[in-house]
């Protein structure tokens, strides 16, 4: 990748010059396939641990900027554990790592964390931001999407299974076309169904068009790193993307059907469900038959023979001997006799007598309870699928307005990236368009796909991407701080079989990742924004990780995975505003409420307040990088929220239970649980003095203060 020529250091001039230089170049850097660069030579060959370090060190040496020293082991483990799992390390993990003399102890921790089921949950959190995932529609009514969580769980499993990125992308694009014999795979296409939806629109055709516009725009942002949505109404003002390009890309999606209840059960699930239904129906039939036998003599006395009913199935049911009736026939007989106009219920009770009435009523109660406790329905999902090889025409919309069709367009790629017509192979159930798009996106030499994704991985671990605008690789995006490194990573991804875990292992085992955040005034004077990556960036945890850390440190965290979303308690004033809890039905048990933050219900019109304070993104649009603010409500939430106080109380009880009455042992354990290290002597002395001057209630205050440390909410 060529760098704009200038006398300024490329790192420092990128934001002010990169876009201008690219605009003057007909071949913008990101539209050219990445070429694998040579790994640069460096003067200090002892520092690099892998090729990543050589690319960074070559730039650092060019400007005489030394890399920061390596962080201490406790800091490294905490950083690594949060980055890969979103949780703090346990005291046992900290002590085992600190005591491990092996030269490969750190790599062993990396492998352990990548293999943890918590890894997929953390990675899913980042991906769901991109996918604009929510459990409701948004807009005025904000209806619930009861099965949207299946897509969230699919993403978790995909990361845990190390599904190659090319396959990960392709299945979200066109799972129904790529694996038509596996309906469950279609859950992956839920990526395209995460858009906000105004379900009550008068014109349902316009509603569909709005959804297609959103799908097209999000595909461009998430996978291509292009703001192609800017070309919906007119040609892009800066990038070489025309309005025709926008609708040609949209044409890949226009034949699809939006299904909100698509069956995704496996054959094994269907067999198990059939068995459960038969067993349940048999139990119902047994209870009904018992009631019929109990009432038989009394009914025959009051009204001999079956009631009159002209329906053949009812007549057949009564004509069949009792011992030969099917469960359905028993139900028909039971329902017919319950409605028999010839018998007054009070007369029937008199004829039965008190003992048999009591026995009959007990059987009825069991029947009612069992009737309400039938087997759960087979799973369905919110997906994007096709049923036919035929496709309605796609038209460019004049000024992007629904109802003003312009020329018809065929499916095609942005012409600046690939002017060739796509190779589309229809099947008997599908146009094959989306699978053709997936195949094009996952070409190893695609100009954008791998670059965009490895840049996102880099951002996860350094707080800033090599390209600082992760969803805008266009002319108005920032120029890469390390273009050769970006291209090397982009070519390494397919070389590694598109393995996400392998790429992350490469990044987090580098010397660059292991650097401390130690400040150096000379380096800062030259590179105040750390674009050279001369030190690790100090990063604040997101709201989900802070909540999970509170629950983990206190011992309250429930690590159950998957399933429908959960509802933690809300502040009382919000519960009143939400129709006495109807909008936010608090989960019934503390254990259920204390599951990981990934599983907290995402309501577009009522965000969980703790997450909102810590910059939870708006789920109405794809979010490539969360804002990080410093505002008073964050401190107030950590000091006053019920979540914080419950965690502090539980942590105090945990210290007493594990460490016993010894104050020093409690304090040491508290620091290990909360911040992953032992207290230093001054901290220990201060804490001992505080708790010795107060009664047992002081431990709650001590724990609350510990959970409010900057060190608790920041990684450095």
């Amino acid at each position: 990748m060529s760098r704009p020529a200038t006398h300024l250091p490329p790192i420092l001039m990128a934001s002010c010059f990169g876009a201008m230089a690219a605009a003057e170049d007909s071949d913008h850097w990101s539209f050219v396939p990445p070429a694998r660069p040579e790994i640069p030579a460096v003067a200090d060959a002892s520092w690099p641990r892998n090729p990543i370090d050589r690319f960074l060190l070559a730039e650092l040496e060019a400007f005489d900027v030394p890399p920061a020293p390596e962080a201490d082991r406790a800091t490294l483990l905490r950083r690594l554990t949060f980055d890969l799992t979103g949780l703090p390390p346990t005291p046992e993990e900290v002590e085992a790592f600190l005591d491990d003399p092996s030269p490969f102890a750190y790599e062993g921790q990396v492998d352990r964390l990548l293999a943890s089921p918590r890894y997929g949950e953390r990675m899913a959190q980042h991906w769901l931001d991109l996918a604009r995932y929510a459990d409701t529609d948004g807009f005025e009514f904000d209806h619930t999407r009861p099965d949207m969580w299946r897509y969230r769980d699919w993403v978790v499993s995909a990361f845990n299974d190390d599904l190659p990125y090319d396959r990960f992308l392709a299945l979200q694009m066109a799972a129904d076309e790529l694996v038509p014999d596996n309906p469950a795979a279609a859950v992956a296409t839920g990526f395209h169904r995460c858009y906000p939806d105004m379900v009550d629109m008068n014109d349902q055709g316009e509603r569909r068009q709005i959804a297609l516009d959103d799908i097209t725009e999000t595909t461009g942002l998430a996978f291509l790193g292009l703001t192609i949505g800017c070309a919906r109404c007119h040609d892009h003002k800066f990038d070489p993307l025309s309005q025709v390009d926008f609708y040609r890309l949209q044409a890949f999606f226009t034949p699809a059907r939006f299904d909100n209840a698509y069956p995704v059960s496996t054959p094994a699930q269907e067999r198990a469900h059939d068995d459960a239904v038969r067993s349940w129906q048999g139990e119902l039939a047994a209870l009904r038959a018992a009631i019929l036998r109990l009432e038989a003599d009394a009914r025959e006395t009051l009204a001999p023979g079956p009631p009159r009913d002209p329906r053949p199935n009812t007549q057949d049911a009564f004509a069949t001997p009792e011992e030969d009736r099917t469960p359905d026939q028993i139900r028909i007989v039971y329902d017919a006799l319950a409605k028999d106009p010839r018998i007054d219920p009070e007369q029937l009770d008199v004829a039965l007598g008190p003992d048999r009435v009591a026995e009959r009523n007990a059987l009825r109660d069991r029947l009612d309870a069992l009737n309400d406790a039938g087997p759960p329905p087979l799973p369905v999902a919110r997906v994007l699928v096709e049923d036919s090889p035929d496709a309605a025409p796609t038209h460019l919309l004049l000024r992007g307005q629904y109802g003003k069709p312009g020329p018809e367009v065929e499916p095609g790629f942005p012409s600046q990236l690939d002017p060739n017509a796509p190779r589309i192979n229809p099947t008997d159930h599908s146009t094959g368009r989306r699978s053709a798009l997936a195949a094009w996106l996952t070409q190893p030499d695609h100009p954008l796909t791998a670059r965009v994704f490895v840049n996102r991985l880099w951002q996860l671990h350094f707080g800033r991407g090599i390209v600082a605008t992760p969803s805008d690789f266009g002319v108005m995006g920032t120029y890469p701080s390390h273009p050769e490194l970006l291209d090397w990573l982009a070519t390494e991804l397919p070389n590694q079989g598109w393995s996400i875990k392998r790429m992350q292992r490469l990044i987090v085992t580098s010397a660059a990742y292991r650097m401390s955040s130690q400040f150096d005034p000379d380096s800062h004077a030259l590179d105040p924004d750390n674009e050279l990556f001369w030190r690790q960036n100090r990063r604040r945890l997101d709201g989900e990780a802070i909540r999970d850390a509170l629950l983990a440190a206190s011992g309250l965290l429930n690590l159950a995975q998957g399933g429908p979303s959960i509802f933690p308690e809300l502040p009382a004033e919000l519960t009143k505003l939400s129709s006495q809890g109807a909008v936010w039905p608090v989960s019934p048990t503390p254990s259920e409420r204390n599951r990981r933050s990934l599983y907290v219900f995402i309501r577009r019109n009522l965000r969980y307040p703790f997450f909102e304070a810590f910059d939870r993104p708006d789920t109405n649009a794809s979010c490539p990088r969360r804002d990080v603010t410093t505002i008073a409500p964050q401190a107030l939430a950590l000091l006053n929220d019920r979540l914080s106080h419950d965690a502090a109380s539980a942590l105090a009880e945990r210290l007493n239970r594990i460490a016993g009455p010894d104050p020093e042992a409690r304090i040491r354990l508290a620091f290990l649980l909360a911040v992953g290290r032992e207290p230093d002597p001054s901290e220990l002395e201060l804490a001992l003095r505080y708790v010795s001057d107060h009664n047992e209630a002081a431990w709650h205050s001590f724990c609350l203060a510990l959970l409010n440390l900057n060190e608790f909410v920041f990684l450095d």
Side-chain angles (χ1 to χ4, degrees):
M1 183 193 303
S2 61
R3 179 188 287 118
T6 175
H7 66 283
L8 294 172
I11 310 304
L12 306 181
M13 52 62 97
S15 59
C16 64
F17 185 80
M20 180 178 66
E24 296 173 353
D25 187 352
S26 60
D27 290 324
H28 182 54
W29 68 266
S30 70
F31 299 155
V32 179
R36 192 169 179 85
E38 293 291 331
I39 298 173
V42 293
D44 182 8
S46 65
W47 187 76
R49 292 179 178 270
N50 64 34
I52 288 174
D53 299 322
R54 290 185 174 273
F55 284 102
L56 290 182
L57 187 58
E59 295 284 0
L60 291 170
E61 290 178 343
F63 301 114
D64 199 24
V65 175
E70 183 168 299
D72 63 80
R73 276 200 167 193
T75 298
L76 272 181
L77 184 63
R78 187 167 185 269
R79 177 193 301 167
L80 184 69
T81 308
F82 268 109
D83 270 5
L84 294 182
T85 69
L87 294 172
T90 66
E92 296 77 15
E93 290 166 351
V94 173
E95 291 172 356
F97 181 49
L98 296 181
D99 295 340
D100 189 345
S102 167
F104 303 107
Y106 178 81
E107 287 78 3
Q109 294 298 318
V110 172
D111 293 337
R112 175 181 63 82
L113 294 168
L114 288 173
S116 167
R118 312 280 82 83
Y119 164 81
E121 292 173 322
R122 184 56 178 166
M123 290 297 293
Q125 187 73 67
H126 300 301
W127 187 259
L128 295 178
D129 280 359
L130 277 175
R132 73 269 191 245
Y133 173 88
D135 292 302
T136 64
D137 289 330
F139 293 101
E140 180 181 1
F141 295 105
D142 205 20
H143 293 304
T144 298
R145 296 173 174 177
D147 297 290
M148 197 69 239
W149 58 268
R150 297 190 193 279
Y151 171 69
R152 175 247 292 155
D153 284 2
W154 180 88
V155 174
V156 172
S157 296
F159 280 116
N160 275 335
D161 295 341
D162 198 18
L163 187 68
Y165 182 67
D166 59 342
R167 189 66 173 170
F168 179 73
L169 184 161
L171 290 177
Q172 291 180 89
M173 198 64 59
D176 58 307
E177 294 183 344
L178 296 170
V179 280
D181 296 331
N182 181 8
V187 171
T189 65
F191 174 87
H192 294 302
R193 300 301 317 284
C194 291
Y195 53 81
D197 190 11
M198 191 183 297
V199 297
D200 61 328
M201 286 189 69
N202 291 330
D203 191 328
Q204 290 296 297
E206 184 176 6
R207 174 191 172 198
R208 176 181 171 83
Q209 183 59 49
I210 291 172
L212 286 170
D213 291 343
D214 184 285
I215 290 168
T216 308
E217 179 176 13
T218 305
T219 297
L221 291 169
F223 299 115
L224 292 170
L226 292 178
T227 57
I228 196 168
C230 295
R232 180 174 68 86
C233 304
H234 49 70
D235 292 351
H236 201 290
K237 294 296 187 183
F238 304 101
D239 293 336
L241 298 169
S242 68
Q243 191 182 14
V244 172
D245 285 332
F246 178 85
Y247 287 100
R248 290 175 70 207
L249 182 60
Q250 187 170 108
F252 287 104
F253 301 101
T254 49
R257 176 169 60 85
F258 300 169
D259 195 328
N260 293 344
Y262 184 77
V264 292
S265 52
T266 64
Q269 287 176 314
E270 291 168 2
R271 289 193 296 270
H273 183 264
D274 290 344
D275 291 343
V277 168
R278 280 194 295 271
S279 176
W280 174 65
Q281 290 175 339
E283 293 179 44
L284 290 174
L287 288 172
R288 291 185 179 114
I291 295 172
L292 291 174
R293 286 194 297 272
L294 188 67
E295 295 180 342
D297 291 342
R299 286 185 177 277
E300 189 64 23
T301 300
L302 293 172
R308 292 182 179 180
D309 192 321
R311 290 174 293 184
N313 61 341
T314 304
Q315 294 177 6
D316 290 344
F318 276 99
T320 302
E322 179 182 338
E323 63 275 10
D324 295 333
R325 288 172 183 161
T326 66
D328 192 53
Q329 287 178 321
I330 294 173
R331 179 191 60 78
I332 291 171
V333 170
Y334 181 86
D335 290 345
L337 290 176
K339 300 174 183 177
D340 189 348
R342 300 173 301 163
I343 298 178
D344 181 87
E346 293 183 0
Q347 290 179 335
L348 178 62
D349 288 353
V350 171
L352 286 171
D355 292 342
R356 284 191 292 175
V357 166
E359 185 180 353
R360 189 271 316 274
N361 288 347
L363 289 171
R364 282 182 175 176
D365 289 343
R366 288 172 56 192
L367 178 64
D368 290 342
L370 183 62
N371 203 45
D372 293 337
L378 285 167
V380 296
R382 185 181 173 93
V383 299
L384 195 72
V385 294
E386 292 185 27
D387 303 314
S388 168
D390 300 322
T394 301
H395 291 271
L396 179 149
L397 298 182
L398 302 177
R399 302 294 298 171
Q401 295 182 39
Y402 175 73
K404 293 187 176 181
E408 182 178 347
V409 297
E410 293 295 327
F413 313 123
S415 55
Q416 183 69 21
L417 297 177
D418 189 343
N420 300 310
R423 297 179 180 178
I424 299 175
N425 299 307
T427 68
D428 58 354
H429 70 279
S430 171
T431 61
R433 291 186 179 186
R434 284 175 291 119
S435 55
L437 176 59
W440 176 72
L441 284 169
T442 54
Q443 294 177 117
D445 62 345
H446 192 283
L448 289 165
T449 305
R451 276 179 175 146
V452 169
F453 186 68
V454 296
N455 188 65
R456 297 195 195 283
L457 292 180
W458 188 270
Q459 176 181 279
L460 295 185
H461 297 298
F462 289 91
R464 173 189 174 276
I466 297 171
V467 175
T469 50
S471 284
D472 187 0
F473 277 45
V475 170
M476 295 304 290
T478 59
Y479 191 81
S481 61
H482 296 74
E484 290 82 9
L485 172 58
L486 180 64
D487 275 9
W488 187 86
L489 290 169
T491 55
E492 185 67 10
L493 178 60
N495 286 352
Q496 292 287 344
W498 296 87
S499 169
I500 299 170
K501 287 187 178 182
R502 290 179 194 170
M503 292 302 296
Q504 283 187 276
R505 190 182 194 280
L506 188 69
I507 291 171
V508 301
T509 55
S510 66
Y513 178 78
R514 301 191 206 190
M515 286 189 293
S516 71
S517 59
Q518 180 176 306
F519 182 78
D520 179 80
D522 293 333
S523 300
H524 178 76
L526 177 68
D527 182 16
D529 294 326
N530 193 25
E531 293 185 73
L532 284 168
F533 296 107
W534 52 270
R535 65 170 178 159
Q536 179 60 266
N537 287 307
R538 190 165 185 258
R539 291 174 283 146
R540 198 204 70 203
L541 298 174
D542 55 44
E544 292 89 341
I546 295 172
R547 176 180 176 273
D548 288 350
L550 288 169
L551 295 174
S554 63
L556 296 174
L557 183 62
N558 175 3
L559 289 174
Q561 280 193 287
S565 298
I566 56 101
F567 296 83
E569 291 176 301
L570 292 180
E573 60 272 20
L574 276 182
T575 303
K576 292 176 183 178
L577 290 173
S578 61
S579 305
Q580 289 70 50
V583 172
W584 192 272
V586 175
S587 297
T589 65
S591 176
E592 187 70 9
R593 296 194 290 270
N594 290 340
R595 293 180 64 199
R596 286 202 69 173
S597 299
L598 176 71
Y599 302 112
V600 172
F601 190 85
I602 301 176
R603 180 171 284 286
R604 282 194 160 101
N605 290 357
L606 180 63
R607 279 186 279 185
Y608 184 53
F610 191 85
F611 296 160
E612 188 167 19
F614 287 96
D615 307 305
R616 178 69 181 255
D618 178 3
T619 54
N620 289 309
S622 177
C623 175
R625 182 182 181 185
R626 293 189 178 192
D627 293 331
V628 179
T629 63
T630 302
I631 54 175
Q634 294 164 353
L636 294 173
L638 285 170
L639 280 171
N640 300 315
D641 196 276
R642 179 173 177 175
L643 168 68
S644 297
H645 281 271
D646 287 350
S649 296
L651 177 56
E653 293 173 5
R654 188 180 188 187
L655 300 178
N656 182 49
R657 185 174 64 254
I658 297 175
D662 182 5
E664 182 173 334
R666 286 194 197 184
I667 292 167
R668 291 184 182 279
L669 177 59
F671 270 80
L672 282 170
L673 287 167
V675 293
R677 63 170 178 84
E678 291 268 0
D680 64 35
S682 62
E683 291 169 330
L684 180 60
E685 180 186 356
L686 181 64
L688 282 170
R689 190 163 62 247
Y690 176 78
V691 297
S692 66
D693 292 343
H694 299 79
N695 57 26
E696 190 69 21
W699 285 101
H700 174 90
S701 299
F702 164 73
C703 291
L704 185 63
L706 192 60
L707 298 176
N708 273 267
L709 290 177
N710 273 348
E711 189 178 352
F712 181 77
V713 297
F714 279 87
L715 294 179
D716 58 6

